[in-house]
């Protein structure tokens, strides 16, 4: 595996379900990110981890819970979601948080909440 | 508030040149990025500008004017595979990336 991988690629869940999204980066990076991408809207940064420590939580509802067990893995735990949470969830990584480093994105998980 | 503006959609002809504009209003500036995103795929990095001027990379060039809060992405010799969304993002004073909604570029034969 190379780059940033995400599983599952597609997920359909009911509002009462609990599920988890997984992200893994094979680039030796220290920073990892969760984004939400809705149609025709800007990417919304949800969470940032640097060296396994959470550095940003942009007012994300508590029904989204991140976990970063090590610098290579990032999870997004989902529970009691709402239909408006349906979107593409993208994971990204970068060398660290310094300005000059670009972010590398995974292919995303297309989430549908019914 | 912080804001990134770019056109929603543009159409161009194969072999031609197209310029995608991006204007920004952010709290501080620590660089501007352009990403390409094909439908159903991950965004991929195209360019980074932190100083004024033009950065050229093959068929793609990116320009920045910090005083005007303005950038553009120039695509030359357009190919059908260039059909994609192009995302502009600015890193603010807190080193957070502020993203535009993206410009969908449609290439016609």
């Amino acid at each position: 595996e190379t780059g940033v991988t995400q599983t599952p690629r597609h997920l359909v869940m009911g509002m009462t379900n609990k599920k988890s999204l997984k992200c893994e980066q094979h680039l030796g990076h220290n920073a990892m990110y969760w984004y939400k991408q809705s149609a025709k809207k800007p990417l919304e940064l949800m969470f940032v981890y640097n060296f396994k420590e959470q550095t940003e939580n942009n007012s994300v509802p508590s029904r989204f819970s991140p976990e970063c067990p090590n610098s290579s893995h990032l999870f997004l735990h989902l529970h009691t979601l709402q239909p408006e949470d349906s979107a593409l969830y993208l994971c990204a990584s970068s060398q660290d948080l310094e300005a000059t480093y670009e972010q590398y994105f995974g292919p995303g998980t297309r989430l549908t909440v019914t | 508030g912080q804001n990134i503006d770019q056109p929603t959609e543009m159409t161009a002809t194969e072999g031609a040149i197209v310029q995608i504009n991006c204007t920004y209003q952010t709290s501080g500036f620590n660089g501007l990025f352009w990403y390409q995103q094909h439908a159903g795929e991950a965004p991929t990095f195209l360019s980074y500008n932190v100083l004024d001027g033009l950065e050229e990379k093959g068929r793609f060039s990116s320009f920045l004017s910090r005083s005007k809060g303005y950038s553009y992405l120039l695509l030359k010799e357009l190919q059908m595979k260039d059909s994609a969304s192009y995302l502009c993002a600015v890193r603010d004073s807190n080193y957070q990336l502020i993203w535009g909604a993206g410009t969908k570029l449609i290439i016609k034969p």
Side-chain angles (χ1 to χ4, degrees):
Chain A
E1 292 279 9
T2 58
V4 182
T5 58
Q6 290 185 244
T7 55
R9 293 294 307 277
H10 300 272
L11 178 63
V12 179
M13 60 186 288
M15 289 190 283
T16 58
N17 292 157
K18 291 183 180 180
K19 296 287 184 182
S20 295
L21 309 184
K22 178 183 176 182
C23 174
E24 184 173 0
Q25 58 96 358
H26 309 267
L27 301 167
H29 289 167
N30 298 309
M32 296 187 77
Y33 312 78
W34 277 119
Y35 285 94
K36 176 184 179 181
Q37 188 175 36
S38 303
K40 299 184 179 180
K41 290 186 178 180
L43 281 171
E44 298 174 45
L45 180 64
M46 301 175 72
F47 301 104
V48 181
Y49 279 82
N50 195 35
F51 291 96
K52 302 188 299 178
E53 298 297 320
Q54 185 173 314
T55 61
E56 293 289 339
N57 175 347
N58 284 359
S59 303
V60 179
S62 60
R63 58 186 183 268
F64 295 91
S65 173
E67 179 189 359
C68 188
N70 55 60
S71 293
S72 299
H73 294 85
L74 187 63
F75 294 90
L76 188 62
H77 304 300
L78 316 171
H79 65 96
T80 58
L81 294 189
Q82 304 298 311
E84 59 265 29
D85 296 324
S86 297
L88 181 68
Y89 288 84
L90 290 165
C91 173
S93 71
S94 64
Q95 184 61 48
D96 57 35
L97 298 182
E98 286 298 312
T100 56
Y101 292 117
E102 69 267 30
Q103 295 179 11
Y104 293 77
F105 286 83
T109 295
R110 174 68 63 185
L111 174 67
T112 303
V113 181
T114 61
Chain B
Q2 308 204 87
N3 195 50
I4 308 284
D5 284 317
Q6 46 181 137
T8 302
E9 187 174 298
M10 298 181 70
T11 301
T13 304
E14 190 177 14
I17 299 173
V18 71
Q19 177 175 310
I20 302 174
N21 296 325
C22 170
T23 57
Y24 63 89
Q25 294 170 313
T26 56
S27 53
F29 178 85
N30 280 299
L32 184 144
F33 295 81
W34 284 97
Y35 282 78
Q36 179 191 60
Q37 185 177 24
H38 285 100
E41 296 183 13
T44 55
F45 169 76
L46 286 178
S47 68
Y48 170 72
N49 294 70
V50 66
L51 300 176
D52 290 349
L54 188 68
E55 294 278 345
E56 296 187 74
K57 193 184 291 186
R59 294 189 298 115
F60 292 8
S61 303
S62 56
F63 172 83
L64 174 67
S65 169
R66 288 172 296 171
S67 62
K68 296 182 179 178
Y70 167 71
S71 172
Y72 67 72
L73 181 69
L74 191 71
L75 291 75
K76 303 176 184 176
E77 302 169 15
L78 286 170
Q79 302 175 10
M80 297 304 293
K81 67 179 182 179
D82 297 329
S83 292
S85 288
Y86 292 85
L87 312 179
C88 174
V90 172
R91 200 181 292 278
D92 68 9
S93 57
N94 294 321
Y95 291 91
Q96 275 209 27
L97 271 181
I98 311 301
W99 293 82
T103 298
K104 183 178 180 181
L105 178 63
I106 299 168
I107 309 298
K108 295 185 174 179

